[in-house]
């Protein structure tokens, strides 16, 4: 196919892509909603936010691959055999490989994300139960994931999708298990071309049987139909993972706030007192007041005022008034830091 024809076909693809076959787009939730958190929340929120962000991209990429294939399908059907072969090699088969592998890839990532989040939450909430712990070192499978997911209602809804829906069913049967996760053999071609097949089975007497023959190519329509169905399951699984993360976040917030009523740390240093600091490195702002981090280097003539988290008639406030339990607050702050940053 010459360049002019290739450009013409690509222009047709661009026009076809304006109409999407798969519409659902997932959105990453804002777990914390800007709430202040105690130190035990840090490992959880960092892990959960990262997983939800990357999986948000993965699920939406899966959608893009399917819509790309569907747009090329409309162009492909109007081409002759030579042009079809060129489109298959240059555009369709690479995206087909990605799309057919997408369900299993997303399934594995969601299972791992759920297990890590359950592990963090269980460590804080159920630390005395060894059956609910996972350190992330052992190879993960559904048996392990289901074990540590037991305290969580949304895991029980997510687990069946990961166990026998996402990556299973018709997409497995109609593509002869394209991913070949059992034998790692060569998959069937996409669009056109035969694939040689040698299959081994056993008859009723247990005798080994061999079968030889070609396998027809998987049609492009089959790829698109099956991956579109799988995308709907991926969206459902992602939304349940978001619900699981929200469920765990709320449980952790309630528990850690009961352990650490002065949230965030009960003691902070700031704001600047004396002359104005020439630079603001190592500072942050709370309710319009500039607060200094402990390691900030001060200029000559600048001091810091220690503030304590206290409760008055209007609610929780930062006050320079030294409370009766000031020493206790300082010890709690130091112990909390050492617990989560032992080194």
């Amino acid at each position: 196919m010459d360049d002019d024809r290739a450009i013409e076909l690509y222009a047709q693809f661009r026009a076809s892509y304006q109409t999407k076959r798969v519409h659902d787009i997932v959105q990453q939730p804002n777990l914390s909603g800007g709430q202040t958190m105690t130190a035990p929340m840090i490992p959880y929120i960092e892990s959960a936010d990262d997983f939800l962000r990357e999986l948000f991209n993965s699920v939406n990429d899966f959608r893009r691959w399917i819509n790309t294939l569907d747009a090329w399908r409309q162009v492909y059907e109007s081409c002759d055999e030579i042009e079809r072969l060129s489109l298959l090699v240059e555009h369709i088969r690479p995206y087909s490989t990605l799309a057919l592998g997408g369900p299993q890839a997303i399934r594995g990532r969601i299972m791992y994300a759920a297990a890590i989040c359950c592990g963090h939450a269980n460590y804080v909430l159920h630390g005395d139960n060894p059956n609910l712990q996972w350190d992330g070192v052992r190879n993960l499978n559904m048996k392990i994931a289901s074990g540590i997911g037991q305290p969580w209602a949304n895991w029980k809804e997510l687990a069946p999708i990961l166990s026998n829906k996402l990556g299973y069913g018709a997409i497995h049967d109609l593509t002869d298990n394209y991913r070949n996760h059992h034998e790692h053999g060569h998959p069937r071609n996409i669009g056109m071309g035969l694939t040689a097949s040698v299959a081994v089975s056993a008859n009723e007497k247990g005798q080994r049987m061999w079968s030889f023959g070609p396998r027809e190519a998987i049609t492009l329509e089959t790829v698109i139909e099956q991956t579109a169905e799988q995308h709907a399951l991926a969206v459902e699984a992602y939304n349940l993972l978001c619900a699981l993360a929200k469920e765990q976040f709320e449980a952790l917030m309630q528990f850690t706030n009961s352990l650490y009523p002065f949230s965030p740390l009960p003691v902070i240093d700031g704001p600047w007192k004396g002359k104005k600091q020439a630079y603001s490195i190592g500072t942050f702002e709370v309710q319009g007041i500039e607060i200094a981090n402990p390691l900030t280097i001060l200029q000559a003539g600048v001091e810091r005022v220690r503030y304590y988290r206290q409760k008055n008639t209007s609610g929780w406030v930062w006050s320079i008034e030294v409370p009766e339990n000031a020493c206790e607050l300082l010890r709690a702050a130091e112990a909390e830091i050492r617990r989560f940053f032992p080194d």
Side-chain angles (χ1 to χ4, degrees):
M1 178 166 42
D2 60 37
D3 291 345
D4 289 341
R5 179 58 174 163
I7 293 172
E8 179 184 346
L9 293 179
Y10 186 72
Q12 293 178 25
F13 157 77
R14 295 274 294 176
S16 298
Y17 192 76
Q18 301 306 310
T19 303
K20 306 294 191 295
R21 180 149 179 168
V22 177
H23 299 280
D24 291 340
I25 298 176
V26 298
Q27 298 289 343
Q28 180 187 357
N30 182 2
L31 278 183
S32 67
Q35 300 179 65
T36 56
M37 293 172 282
T38 56
M41 294 296 300
I42 294 174
Y44 181 83
I45 199 68
E46 287 292 317
S47 296
D49 274 343
D50 187 66
F51 284 130
L52 293 179
R53 180 178 59 254
E54 295 306 319
L55 279 162
F56 148 79
N57 289 326
S58 295
V59 174
N60 288 336
D61 277 344
F62 186 28
R63 169 185 177 271
R64 179 172 56 84
W65 300 337
I66 299 167
N67 286 332
T68 297
L69 286 173
D70 189 56
W72 276 120
R73 176 192 58 79
Q74 299 173 57
V75 179
Y76 177 84
E77 291 174 349
S78 65
C79 294
D80 60 30
E81 292 295 311
I82 300 300
E83 291 174 341
R84 287 186 175 188
L85 180 60
S86 179
L87 292 180
L88 284 170
V89 172
E90 294 180 17
H91 301 289
I92 294 173
R93 283 179 180 166
Y95 279 106
S96 294
T97 301
L98 288 171
L100 288 170
Q104 279 292 340
I106 292 171
R107 172 187 177 272
R109 293 169 194 168
I110 289 179
M111 180 171 65
Y112 183 79
I116 289 291
C117 290
C118 287
H120 283 316
N122 291 351
Y123 178 77
V124 176
L125 299 170
H126 309 285
D128 58 345
N129 188 342
N131 295 324
L132 297 178
Q133 309 307 314
W134 186 58
D135 55 11
V137 175
R138 293 170 292 164
N139 289 332
L140 180 65
N141 54 38
M142 277 300 295
K143 182 178 180 180
I144 293 174
S146 292
I148 62 178
Q150 286 310 300
W152 307 106
N154 283 289
W155 166 257
K156 294 173 183 178
E157 293 189 41
L158 174 60
I161 298 176
L162 302 182
S163 296
N164 51 37
K165 293 182 180 180
L166 190 56
Y168 297 96
I171 191 171
H172 180 283
D173 300 333
L174 296 176
T175 66
D176 286 340
N177 187 18
Y178 185 86
R179 287 187 68 253
N180 283 311
H181 59 281
H182 296 305
E183 52 172 284
H184 304 288
H186 187 77
R188 286 164 60 190
N189 283 314
I190 305 293
M192 64 173 66
L194 301 177
T195 305
S197 172
V198 179
V200 181
S201 59
N203 61 18
E204 296 177 354
K205 297 180 180 180
Q207 298 173 318
R208 172 171 284 201
M209 300 177 58
W210 299 79
S211 59
F212 301 84
R215 291 184 293 177
E216 294 285 345
I218 304 169
T219 66
L220 183 52
E221 185 59 35
T222 296
V223 173
I224 296 168
E225 285 183 355
Q226 295 308 312
T227 52
E229 290 179 8
Q230 289 288 306
H231 178 268
L233 291 171
V235 169
E236 183 179 0
Y238 178 81
N239 289 334
L240 285 170
L241 178 65
C242 294
L244 173 64
K246 191 68 174 176
E247 177 188 2
Q248 292 171 343
F249 176 82
E250 290 173 354
L252 285 167
M253 285 291 286
Q254 181 178 0
F255 181 77
T256 55
N257 284 341
S258 66
L259 289 179
Y260 306 96
F262 306 96
S263 175
L265 292 181
V267 181
I268 59 173
D269 289 326
W272 303 120
K273 182 179 180 182
K275 67 179 183 180
K276 185 174 177 61
Q277 184 79 341
Y279 51 87
S280 60
I281 295 175
T283 68
F284 57 97
E285 191 172 287
V286 175
Q287 296 180 345
I289 300 175
E290 186 180 32
I291 306 299
N293 286 336
L295 299 180
T296 303
I297 299 174
L298 298 180
Q299 293 177 327
V302 178
E303 299 177 357
R304 286 202 299 253
V305 180
R306 175 152 284 172
Y307 276 66
Y308 299 87
R309 182 76 160 163
Q310 301 181 64
K311 195 169 188 179
N312 64 15
T313 55
S314 62
W316 289 100
V317 296
W318 291 107
S319 173
I320 62 173
E321 181 179 345
V322 180
E324 293 181 0
N325 64 337
C327 292
E328 180 184 343
L329 296 181
L330 289 167
R331 285 195 297 269
E334 183 179 358
E336 188 171 349
I337 291 172
R338 287 182 176 177
R339 177 185 175 188
F340 291 95
F341 304 98
D343 297 330

